[in-house]
Amino acid sequence: MLHMPNGRKRALLRLVLHLWYDKARIWVNLFVRRGDHSMWTVIYIAPNAKSAERIQDRLTSEGFLVKMRASNLAKQQYEILVPETELDEVQEVLKDILHSSHR
């Protein structure tokens, strides 16, 4: 049994699950020929790079895999993407992040 704070246990578990998820994704890509983008979903569109980086940093510090890319719709906007499998959990954390930034 590992003796560490719950937050670290959760982060370690997420890391192990992400490693497993990455191997499963590679297998799916090899045999089903789905692109990498099909496993990720946009969870938020930030109005600028600074906001996008702040959200990405906060979600990453919570142990989530996060991608950021420039939006195709507007030059100044950035999309925040997360694995589809974590969508529900990330949405809850994102609500807290956005709520705390408006205080």
Side-chain angles (χ1 to χ4, degrees):
M1 175 69 71
L2 292 173
H3 297 288
M4 60 177 63
N6 285 337
R8 289 190 187 267
K9 284 182 186 176
R10 187 173 53 204
L12 180 60
L13 178 60
R14 280 195 182 124
L15 175 63
V16 169
L17 290 174
H18 289 305
L19 292 173
W20 177 85
Y21 172 80
D22 283 344
K23 286 186 181 198
R25 181 176 50 94
I26 290 168
W27 186 85
V28 167
N29 284 337
L30 286 174
F31 293 99
V32 183
R33 299 291 183 204
R34 293 178 67 185
D36 181 50
H37 65 279
S38 65
M39 303 296 278
W40 293 78
T41 188
V42 175
I43 191 165
Y44 185 73
I45 299 177
N48 54 52
K50 185 177 179 179
S51 296
E53 289 170 0
R54 182 181 57 79
I55 292 169
Q56 181 182 29
D57 291 345
R58 292 278 305 273
L59 290 173
T60 301
S61 72
E62 290 287 331
F64 296 108
L65 287 178
V66 182
K67 290 183 181 182
M68 182 178 80
R69 69 179 180 204
S71 173
N72 293 333
L73 302 175
K75 289 184 180 182
Q76 295 296 320
Q77 294 181 335
Y78 289 82
E79 298 174 340
I80 305 295
L81 298 94
V82 297
E84 290 175 357
T85 56
E86 293 190 337
L87 185 59
D88 293 334
E89 192 174 351
V90 174
Q91 284 176 333
E92 291 300 317
V93 175
L94 181 61
K95 283 182 202 174
D96 293 339
I97 292 170
L98 295 175
H99 183 69
S100 67
S101 69
H102 293 326
R103 289 182 186 174

